[in-house]
Amino acid sequence: MDGGGGERWSAVADGWAELWGSFAEPVWAPLLTASRIGPGSRVLDVGCGTGELVAHLVRAGAVAAGVDPAPAMARRASERNPTATVLDGDVEHLPFEDAAFDAVLAVNALQFADDVGDGLAEVARVLVPGGRVGIACWAEGARNDLDVVERAVAEAYEEDVPPDGPLRAEGGLESALADAGLDVVGAGIVDVSWAVPDDDRLVRGVLLGEDERTTAELAPTVLRAAAPFRAPAGGYRLANAFRWAVAGVR
Ligand SMILES: C[S@@+](CC[C@H](N)C(=O)[O-])C[C@H]1O[C@@H](n2cnc3c(N)ncnc32)[C@H](O)[C@@H]1O
């Protein structure tokens, strides 16, 4: 899915939890390490979706919180994490006091801000001096097998594929953090392969948010485009990459 908007994301909360919720897990470890998150750290996950990373933070002993502008996403994250504070809100208007957190994370979410610079300024506001912000998002489309499938879907709609946003290119996250006056302390790229057990989950995952009729119409397009990524043992394996970067607040 592209674009922000609480209502759009709320409408797909159940499907997100089922099909995509833990997808970005390979990027969690480098983010937590470079953000110096450990037991007792006060950590906010911005754009927390259905709360899988918040749950991981709780397991790591952090005092975890989440925020998401989609009420159904925030509700699911809260239900998954009864000990965590999870509120409705977007990155540009965080419903938390100044200097409330030691670290703030945003995985596959900052690109939906109306203004990334305003979002990062708001993140800095809720961090203690010396606190850390860790951001991760999709790498450029050329690194993602999923891009091949999404292009085929866009062609079937006769739509233009939007160009990669500035955060996705090498150095994009670091530039955004530096432009916001933050000191970059680490960055990297990780494989986030998507292992899909069967055709049904592949089609529903790619077409999340589409109605039943459109999903049925586009299913053959998705299956044809994904054929090169069939796994020998069954299902599909799409290689993809996420970039991450962590910065400190002065
Ligand atoms: C692709 S999902 C990622 C969810 C979660 N971070 C994950 O990795 O599973 C994007 C999330 O960002 C949220 N979002 C959209 N616009 C946002 C904004 N302006 N500020 C913060 N979060 C936003 C959506 O509601 C959605 O839950």
Side-chain angles (χ1 to χ4, degrees):
M1 279 192 49
D2 55 3
E7 282 175 24
R8 281 193 67 199
W9 284 105
S10 270
V12 299
D14 289 348
W16 186 266
E18 179 196 355
L19 299 161
W20 288 106
S22 295
F23 167 73
E25 187 170 347
V27 84
W28 296 350
L31 278 184
L32 264 70
T33 301
S35 301
R36 298 188 299 206
I37 292 169
S41 303
R42 295 165 299 162
V43 186
L44 173 64
D45 180 19
V46 172
C48 65
T50 45
E52 290 77 4
L53 174 54
V54 174
H56 179 70
L57 291 165
V58 170
R59 284 193 297 273
V63 182
V67 65
D68 198 288
M73 288 285 204
R75 189 169 57 248
R76 269 189 158 269
S78 180
E79 286 166 1
R80 186 187 299 277
N81 298 287
T83 63
T85 301
V86 182
L87 302 178
D88 293 0
D90 62 56
V91 66
E92 289 141 306
H93 310 90
L94 295 173
F96 297 96
E97 302 280 319
D98 294 359
F101 297 101
D102 303 305
V104 175
L105 304 179
V107 174
N108 195 6
L110 187 66
Q111 70 270 28
F112 299 120
D114 288 336
D115 186 305
V116 168
D118 288 351
L120 288 173
E122 180 68 345
V123 165
R125 180 187 68 75
V126 302
L127 280 167
V128 294
R132 294 211 163 166
V133 50
I135 312 290
C137 71
W138 290 93
E140 61 272 31
R143 289 181 178 269
N144 301 319
D145 290 344
L146 186 61
D147 199 65
V148 173
V149 183
E150 289 183 333
R151 278 177 184 277
V153 170
E155 272 169 31
Y157 275 127
E158 296 183 356
E159 281 178 355
D160 291 332
V161 179
D164 287 341
L167 298 181
R168 296 179 66 165
E170 187 170 7
L173 291 173
E174 294 95 310
S175 293
L177 291 163
D179 289 349
L182 302 163
D183 298 322
V184 176
V185 296
I189 185 164
V190 293
D191 176 81
V192 285
S193 286
W194 189 36
V196 199
D198 53 42
D199 290 1
D200 173 64
R201 285 177 72 97
L202 176 82
V203 168
R204 288 192 298 118
V206 171
L207 300 175
L208 185 65
E210 302 295 351
D211 60 36
E212 265 183 47
R213 185 163 154 246
T214 308
T215 300
E217 274 172 17
L218 288 173
T221 301
V222 171
L223 296 174
R224 209 166 29 246
F229 312 119
R230 282 210 185 95
Y236 300 81
R237 185 170 192 84
L238 281 72
N240 305 291
F242 263 35
R243 294 189 182 281
W244 64 270
V246 171
V249 182
R250 285 169 208 154

